[in-house]
């Protein structure tokens, strides 16, 4: 009889442990970042390139824009907004995960209201970079212009809500910086002249990191304190670079990936150094190289069937989707949307991999 009781108790304990495990597994796999309770961020601002460009390039005379279908086909109402994806971008996901709002708008959106401005906007411009030549060549907004727009934002807000409230927003907000990929992919390896003549990879990555350092310092001097700087992805494994330099088999381009790793190592060191020089700053370098490479190499593990090609075909110099060609049947099976950018699902899984660790 006692042995039966022991057996039943054992089964009950094992069942409870199993339930606890399942609940933990479900929670940890939830498609939403787990934000620490003591982190109170009420606004997020984005700077950089197309990864967080929410539509600022729409009215620029540049090929680096996507305010046409099939971009946005899975977005609210299937409407293209200038976001470089089939739906949401990482900027949208971050403001939603922090409980701020559903979407991050572009600063140049003519329909912005005061609440949009108070809770954060994107100043980013597709094809911009830490190297000024990158932005000039692509007719994108250089980081210096993005900073000028942020200064304009501050003046505008002081007129709308007062200086004290504006200064509070500026100081307490989170700032994300995503740039660098276009410098290597487009300016150094594709354009080649004059940068590849002037610099070897080591010296060019120094130029990039100096540009990043100057930008962060300027942003800090304008009042920003909590700044996240995203490193470069494995650019040699982007569909666009596989197509250009990956040969018949479209393999990852090792030289390009090594350049990205070199940049990341220098960038991480520079950010660490700046943290000690800028009082009260909260600078964070975020590694996206390893998590994205893991998604590419182990695509099945994350529910993707294709990680070598994009869901849509690219036709222009940036290998963006063409509105004259079709898309894949099910973009949820694709990690990449076009030659450079991930699908909404791809971004969601990538952010979870980065931040839930």
């Amino acid at each position: 009889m006692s042995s039966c009781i022991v057996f039943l108790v054992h089964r009950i304990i094992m069942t409870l442990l199993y339930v606890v495990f399942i609940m933990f597994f479900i929670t940890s796999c939830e498609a939403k970042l787990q934000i620490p309770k003591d982190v109170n961020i009420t606004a997020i601002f984005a700077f950089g390139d197309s990864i967080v460009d929410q539509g600022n390039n729409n009215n620029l005379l540049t090929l680096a824009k996507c305010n046409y279908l099939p971009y946005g086909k899975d977005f609210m109402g299937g409407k293209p907004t200038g976001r470089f994806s089939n739906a949401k971008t990482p900027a949208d996901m971050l403001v939603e995960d922090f409980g701020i709002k559903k979407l991050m708008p572009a600063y140049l959106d003519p329909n912005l209201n005061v609440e949009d401005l108070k809770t954060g906007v994107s100043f980013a411009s597709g094809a911009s970079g830490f190297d000024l030549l990158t932005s000039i060549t692509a007719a994108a907004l250089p980081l210096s212009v993005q900073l000028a727009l942020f200064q304009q934002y501050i003046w505008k807000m002081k007129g709308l809500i007062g200086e004290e409230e504006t200064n509070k927003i500026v100081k307490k907000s989170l700032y994300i910086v995503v740039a660098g990929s276009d410098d290597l992919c487009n300016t150094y390896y594709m354009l080649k002249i004059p940068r590849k003549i002037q610099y070897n990879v080591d010296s060019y990555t120094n130029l990039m990191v100096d540009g990043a350092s100057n930008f962060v310092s300027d942003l800090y001097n304008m009042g920003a304190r909590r700044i996240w700087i995203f490193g470069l992805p494995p650019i040699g494994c982007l569909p666009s670079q596989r197509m250009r330099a990956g040969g018949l088999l479209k393999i990852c381009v090792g030289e390009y990936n090594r350049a990205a790793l070199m940049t990341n190592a220098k960038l991480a060191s520079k950010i660490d150094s700046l943290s000690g020089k800028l009082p009260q700053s909260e600078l964070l370098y975020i590694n996206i190289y390893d998590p994205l490479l893991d998604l590419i190499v182990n695509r099945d593990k994350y529910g993707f069937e294709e990680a070598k090609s994009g869901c849509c075909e690219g036709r222009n110099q940036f290998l963006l989707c063409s509105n004259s060609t079709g898309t894949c049947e099910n973009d949820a099976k694709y990690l990449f949307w076009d030659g450079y950018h991930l699908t909404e699902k791809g971004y969601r899984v990538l952010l979870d991999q980065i931040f839930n660790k």
Side-chain angles (χ1 to χ4, degrees):
M1 183 71 175
S2 60
S3 61
C4 291
I5 294 174
V6 171
F7 174 77
L8 287 173
V9 171
H10 177 265
R11 288 298 299 271
I12 291 171
I13 292 174
M14 292 303 294
T15 301
L16 288 173
L17 288 174
Y18 177 77
V19 171
V20 170
F21 170 78
I22 291 299
M23 292 302 294
F24 172 79
F25 180 79
I26 291 172
T27 302
S28 64
C29 291
E30 183 178 290
K32 187 177 177 70
L33 306 187
Q34 303 302 306
I35 306 300
K37 292 181 180 179
D38 59 344
V39 175
N40 182 26
I41 295 173
T42 57
I44 300 178
F45 296 91
F47 298 85
D49 60 26
S50 57
I51 305 301
V52 288
D53 181 351
Q54 308 295 90
N56 287 314
N57 275 18
N58 286 354
N59 296 314
L60 299 184
L61 294 175
T62 176
L63 292 175
K65 58 183 174 182
C66 54
N67 53 343
Y68 56 86
L69 290 172
Y71 287 97
K73 79 176 189 65
D74 301 312
F75 198 65
M76 299 178 178
K79 180 181 178 181
T81 61
R83 288 168 169 81
F84 290 74
S85 185
N86 61 306
K88 292 183 179 181
T89 70
D92 294 317
M93 294 173 187
L94 283 175
V95 293
E96 184 175 21
D97 290 340
F98 274 99
I100 298 172
K101 52 188 174 182
K102 290 292 184 181
L103 302 169
M104 177 185 287
Y107 179 66
L108 298 182
D109 183 342
N111 299 312
L112 291 183
N113 57 43
V114 176
E115 287 305 311
D116 291 326
L117 293 168
K118 286 172 64 176
T119 50
V121 293
S122 171
F123 300 93
S125 176
S128 185
F130 293 125
D131 179 359
L132 178 59
L133 182 60
T134 301
S135 303
I136 292 175
T137 303
L141 299 175
L143 287 173
S144 57
V145 173
Q146 294 179 34
L147 279 177
L149 290 174
F150 180 52
Q151 182 63 68
Q152 181 191 70
Y153 163 88
I154 293 173
W155 292 333
K156 181 186 294 185
M157 292 303 287
K158 286 181 179 179
L160 290 171
I161 63 174
E163 184 170 357
E164 183 178 350
E165 186 65 23
T166 299
N167 290 340
K168 182 179 178 182
I169 291 173
V170 171
K171 184 177 180 181
K172 298 292 185 181
S173 295
L174 169 64
Y175 299 82
I176 59 174
V177 183
V178 184
S181 296
D182 290 288
D183 294 322
L184 286 175
C185 290
N186 298 329
T187 303
Y188 193 76
Y189 285 115
M190 185 175 75
L191 188 63
K192 297 183 181 180
I193 298 173
R195 288 309 192 219
K196 206 163 186 181
I197 296 175
Q198 296 173 311
Y199 303 93
N200 58 24
V201 175
D202 183 44
S203 57
Y204 186 69
T205 54
N206 286 339
L207 177 122
M208 291 171 59
V209 171
D210 286 343
S213 175
N214 291 336
F215 178 80
V216 170
S217 296
D218 289 342
L219 192 56
Y220 171 86
N221 290 333
M222 294 175 73
R225 290 297 177 265
R226 181 182 282 124
I227 307 172
W228 292 359
I229 302 90
F230 288 73
L232 272 63
I235 60 171
C237 295
L238 300 179
S240 57
Q241 307 313 304
R242 287 177 185 259
M243 184 176 295
R244 286 175 182 155
L248 293 176
L249 297 178
K250 298 181 181 179
I251 62 173
C252 292
V253 188
E255 179 187 355
Y256 295 5
N257 282 348
R258 288 190 290 274
L261 284 170
M262 181 183 292
T263 305
N264 288 342
K266 294 177 180 180
L267 184 58
S269 177
K270 178 66 73 172
I271 296 306
D272 185 58
S273 175
L274 279 176
S275 294
K277 297 177 182 177
L278 303 178
Q280 299 181 331
S281 65
E282 297 178 27
L283 309 183
L284 179 64
Y285 165 80
I286 296 178
N287 169 27
I288 68 170
Y289 186 101
D290 294 317
L292 181 52
L293 186 61
D294 186 39
L295 263 64
I296 293 169
V297 174
N298 301 301
R299 62 185 185 281
D300 295 343
K301 174 182 172 184
Y302 299 98
F304 299 104
E305 294 182 8
E306 177 58 58
K308 183 181 289 188
S309 303
C311 174
C312 73
E313 292 185 44
R315 296 299 187 194
N316 68 11
Q317 70 183 84
F318 300 106
L319 293 184
L320 300 177
C321 302
S322 169
N323 56 9
S324 62
T325 59
T327 62
C328 61
E329 185 175 342
N330 183 358
D331 53 53
K333 295 180 179 179
Y334 278 66
L335 177 60
F336 290 95
W337 170 244
D338 59 18
Y340 280 84
H341 310 96
L342 275 60
T343 57
E344 179 184 56
K345 179 184 174 182
Y347 281 131
R348 180 74 270 172
V349 175
L350 177 62
L351 285 183
D352 289 345
Q353 286 299 106
I354 293 170
F355 292 109
N356 286 340
K357 291 182 179 180

